[in-house]
Amino acid sequence: MPPADRAFDDAHGSSHNASNHNGSSHNAGGTHDPQAAAIAAFWADARIRARLNPIEVYTGPGISDTVPPPAWSFGDDPRLADDLLDMVLKGQKTATASALRDYEEEARELARAQDDLPGAAEGDLLVDTDLDLALPEPGLLSILLDGSGRPRALIRTTDVQVVRFGDVTDEHARREGEGDSSLAHWRRAHQEFFHRSSATGERVDEDTMVVLERFEVLVPAEARRAARRNGLA
């Protein structure tokens, strides 16, 4: 899922894994993977608690209901992942941000992989001017992991904007909730993170494009109620 909260990872296996303070993503597939089993068990319970498919009570789960959504953790290290997740669970964080370049690089890697497939025709490789970006969309579900990779929350994206770094607003910074929740703190923290997470050491300036996401917590319900009390719902 790339915020100064999320980071791209080839293992993500989904369209939502950027580099947001937000770190590594995980593929929930693989029946012999303990983490995949934990994610599947969390999803089986969370989708019922979130009442995502009430008819399932009567008909049983369909194939789409049994496939977990993308699972990822915040930040680029376990401690940061735990700290930001804790803010979400306390209702102090309902937004995140990612560098657009991370989605672009993911699209390039996918294009290169497809170009290497047998039978790929010349000219099939995507170029920078025609990248098929897998940006998050409103309604997208994600499972948040803690620093050790355990599933802890189910969230739903409610709003997505792509803006210049210099155009990020005070309101977005407040919803991210980090530090003193000020825009000045947001700019310092994300400028450092985006630079640190860039594979090429690309500098971050006012024109760097960022993907801003807002989300709501579906499970646990107490996190959603806490966000409401904090004016972040």
Side-chain angles (χ1 to χ4, degrees):
M1 185 188 157
D5 302 346
R6 179 199 309 245
F8 272 105
D9 186 330
D10 291 341
H12 195 300
S14 81
S15 61
H16 196 45
N17 53 349
S19 161
N20 176 358
H21 254 110
N22 207 30
S24 55
S25 53
H26 301 261
N27 189 332
T31 56
H32 301 296
D33 181 350
Q35 185 188 53
I39 291 173
F42 176 87
W43 170 238
D45 177 70
R47 69 172 187 264
I48 301 299
R49 292 179 182 274
R51 300 180 180 179
L52 295 177
N53 186 6
I55 197 173
E56 179 181 332
V57 175
Y58 303 99
T59 64
I63 293 177
S64 61
D65 297 317
T66 61
V67 178
W72 47 268
S73 57
F74 287 113
D76 55 357
D77 64 67
R79 181 176 179 178
L80 184 56
D82 285 339
D83 288 346
L84 297 180
L85 173 64
D86 187 58
M87 293 175 59
V88 171
L89 297 178
K90 291 179 177 177
Q92 299 170 344
K93 180 178 179 65
T94 58
T96 190
S98 309
L100 180 64
R101 66 177 182 230
D102 291 334
Y103 292 99
E104 294 172 339
E105 181 56 31
E106 183 188 46
R108 293 187 190 99
E109 291 178 2
L110 178 60
R112 286 192 289 267
Q114 292 175 336
D115 196 54
D116 288 339
L117 292 175
E122 183 178 354
D124 282 351
L125 180 62
L126 294 176
V127 295
D128 289 359
T129 56
D130 189 28
L131 290 174
D132 186 14
L133 302 184
L135 295 175
E137 298 178 351
L140 178 72
L141 298 175
S142 295
I143 293 173
L144 295 183
L145 308 175
D146 64 18
S148 63
R150 295 176 300 177
R152 298 290 304 281
L154 176 68
I155 65 172
R156 177 164 53 201
T157 299
T158 59
D159 184 72
V160 179
Q161 297 181 48
V162 180
V163 304
R164 294 171 58 252
F165 186 88
D167 292 334
V168 175
T169 64
D170 291 279
E171 176 61 13
H172 180 81
R174 184 181 77 88
R175 288 182 174 273
E176 288 220 26
E178 299 172 39
D180 60 2
S181 297
S182 69
L183 180 58
H185 182 278
W186 186 94
R187 287 172 59 87
R188 287 194 302 271
H190 285 70
Q191 192 168 41
E192 190 278 333
F193 181 86
F194 289 152
H195 176 73
R196 184 174 76 240
S197 63
S198 172
T200 60
E202 182 180 345
R203 62 188 293 267
V204 178
D205 58 27
E206 298 297 282
D207 293 323
T208 297
M209 300 304 294
V210 295
V211 181
L212 307 181
E213 299 176 58
R214 293 186 184 181
F215 57 83
E216 60 179 343
V217 179
L218 301 181
V219 176
E222 174 53 32
R224 182 173 65 254
R225 291 192 289 267
R228 189 177 300 119
R229 291 193 297 270
N230 292 331
L232 294 176

